[in-house]
Amino acid sequence: MKKIHFLITLIFILISARSKAQIGAVTLKDAVGNTISSFGSLQLAYDAVPDPMIVSFIIELNANYDGSLESYPITLNSIAGAGPTNIVTIRPEASVV
């Protein structure tokens, strides 16, 4: 009985997590705008920035980004190598009004 309860709980968690997914809602780009990868959340994109940083990065929130589906709080930890010449810019993509 415990195994069935565990499996039902696990399935519910997986379905809930999947329903909140925002596939391709956030894009990580290099400093010149070349796409590195797409993510389902701002947190995942920020966590993909290499540590230590040796170049700047851009995180763009795409038109399909829905902040209400983000897990809060978003934690932007310091990254070794970040500074005046190596920065992470978070912005909406150009088509977002």
Side-chain angles (χ1 to χ4, degrees):
M1 186 67 172
K2 287 184 179 184
K3 287 183 180 182
I4 292 173
H5 180 70
F6 173 77
L7 288 175
I8 291 171
T9 303
L10 182 60
I11 290 169
F12 177 77
I13 291 170
L14 291 174
I15 290 171
S16 296
R18 178 171 246 203
S19 67
K20 290 187 173 188
Q22 301 183 81
I23 298 171
V26 183
T27 305
L28 178 63
K29 298 182 175 187
D30 63 18
V32 295
N34 297 315
T35 298
I36 297 170
S37 190
S38 295
F39 298 91
S41 72
L42 175 57
Q43 185 70 65
L44 290 173
Y46 187 82
D47 290 345
V49 173
D51 188 355
M53 277 178 59
I54 55 172
V55 296
S56 292
F57 292 90
I58 301 165
I59 296 174
E60 285 189 342
L61 306 177
N62 302 326
N64 64 329
Y65 176 76
D66 182 351
S68 69
L69 298 177
E70 190 77 51
S71 295
Y72 292 98
I74 298 170
T75 306
L76 304 178
N77 293 316
S78 63
I79 300 173
T85 57
N86 295 334
I87 60 172
V88 176
T89 301
I90 301 172
R91 67 182 188 201
E93 72 175 331
S95 67
V96 176
V97 182

